Amino acid sequence: MLNITTGVEKTPIKTVIYGAEGVGKSSLAAKFPNALFLDTEGGTSRLDVRRIKITGWEELLATVKEVIAYPEVCKSLVIDTADWAESFCIDYICAKYRQVSIESFGYGKGYTYLQEEFGEFLKLLNKLTEVGINPVIIAHGKPRKFELPDEQGAFDRYETKLTRQVAPLIKEWCDMLLFCNYKTFVVTTENNAKKAQGGKRVMYTTHNPCWDAKNRFDLPDELDLDFAAIAHLFTDVPTKKNTPKKEELKAENLVEKVKKLVADSGITEGQLESLVVSKGHYPEGTILEEYAPEFFNRWVIPNFKKIVQTIKENNNGGNE
C-alpha cells in the first residue's frame, strides 16, 4: 500500500556557506543550533566553539560516522572547510593508487576518482539528516573571469574554491547555498568623482550572474550576515533518536555498571565526563545518566582501561 503524506515537512537543512576571506563564514556557522566543528585547517582557533581537529580524509570519514552513531553530540555538524577536506581527499586517493599527484593519473582519471570519493562523502553527510543533524559545509570563495556568449566584455563571478569536479556536487547536494560578501556602494562626490563606501556584510540566497547561491525556502535575495535572519528555518525540527525503545530498559543497568567500574578504578565520574567532553562526544554539562546505551557499549566499556590510563596521566601532568 502506498504511504502518501502531504504538507511541508520540517527536516534538518543541508547548508553550504562560502564567500570572501574574513567575512565571517565560520562565525555564522558557529551560531547554528548546538554546532560541532570538524576543523580541517585550524580556522576555528579564534572562535569559542566546540571542535574536533581533523588531519586526514579517513579521520574525517570516521568522525562523521561516529557522530551519526551518537547523534546526541550535536544538532549541527560543520565541515570547516570544504577546500581542505578536498585536499585531504586528493592526498588519500594519491596514496591509495601510489601516484605523486592527482594529475599523474593521466586522462583525468584522478579527478574521476576524486569526484566519486567526494560524492560518497556527501552521501555520508546525508545520513546526518536522518538522525536529526544539520550538515553545514564552509568553503572559501574565489572570483573567476566569466564571459557570456555573444556578449561584449567579461566580469568577475564568485564560486567555491574547489575543483570543477567537486564544486557542482556540493552545489547540487545542499538545500541552501549562501554567498557571503561585503556590500559596497558607489557614490558620486562633489567633484563628480566615483567613490566606494560601505562594507556592510551580507549574504545572498539566490542566483546572480556574479555569484552562485540558492535556497529552497523562499528567502529574500539578500540578508544581513546574521544567523537571526535564517534562524526560523531551524525551529520545530523533530529530533530523531538512534536508541530503540526496547533498549531503554538496559540504560539503567549500563549506568550502574559504569559507575561501579569508575568507583573501582580510583577515578571520579566528573573526570570521566570531562574526558568525554574533551573528545567531542557530548557537550559540556552532560552527565553519565544522559549517555546513550550504545555509547557505553561501543566506547566507554571497551576502552575503559585506556580511559583510566589517560585520566591518570593527565592528573600526573597537573591537569584536572
Side-chain angles (χ1 to χ4, degrees), residues 1-6 9:
M1 184 175 179
L2 298 177
N3 184 21
I4 299 174
T5 62
T6 60
E9 292 184 332

Side-chain angles (χ1 to χ4, degrees), residues 39-41 52-60 63 84 88 91:
D39 190 341
T40 63
E41 64 173 47
I52 299 175
K53 297 285 188 178
I54 302 295
T55 58
W57 183 249
E58 291 176 293
E59 183 182 7
L60 177 61
T63 305
W84 279 67
F88 289 158
D91 290 343

Side-chain angles (χ1 to χ4, degrees), residues 259 267-279 282-291 307 311:
K259 285 191 172 188
I267 65 173
T268 67
E269 293 178 21
Q271 289 172 325
L272 173 58
E273 291 164 358
S274 295
L275 181 64
V276 169
V277 170
S278 71
K279 296 294 184 181
Y282 280 94
E284 189 170 358
T286 308
I287 59 175
L288 286 178
E289 288 81 356
E290 296 173 335
Y291 293 171
I307 289 171
I311 291 173

Side-chain angles (χ1 to χ4, degrees), residues 222-290:
E222 177 186 318
L223 295 168
D224 289 342
L225 187 53
D226 188 338
F227 180 74
I230 56 175
H232 64 282
L233 301 177
F234 298 89
T235 59
D236 303 323
V237 177
T239 301
K240 299 180 182 179
K241 295 184 178 180
N242 248 14
T243 308
K245 290 184 178 180
K246 65 181 180 180
E247 295 293 329
E248 291 179 357
L249 294 177
K250 298 179 182 179
E252 288 187 19
N253 293 335
L254 286 170
V255 171
E256 292 305 317
K257 180 178 180 179
V258 171
K259 285 191 172 188
K260 187 175 187 306
L261 287 172
V262 168
D264 293 342
S265 66
I267 65 173
T268 67
E269 293 178 21
Q271 289 172 325
L272 173 58
E273 291 164 358
S274 295
L275 181 64
V276 169
V277 170
S278 71
K279 296 294 184 181
H281 295 300
Y282 280 94
E284 189 170 358
T286 308
I287 59 175
L288 286 178
E289 288 81 356
E290 296 173 335

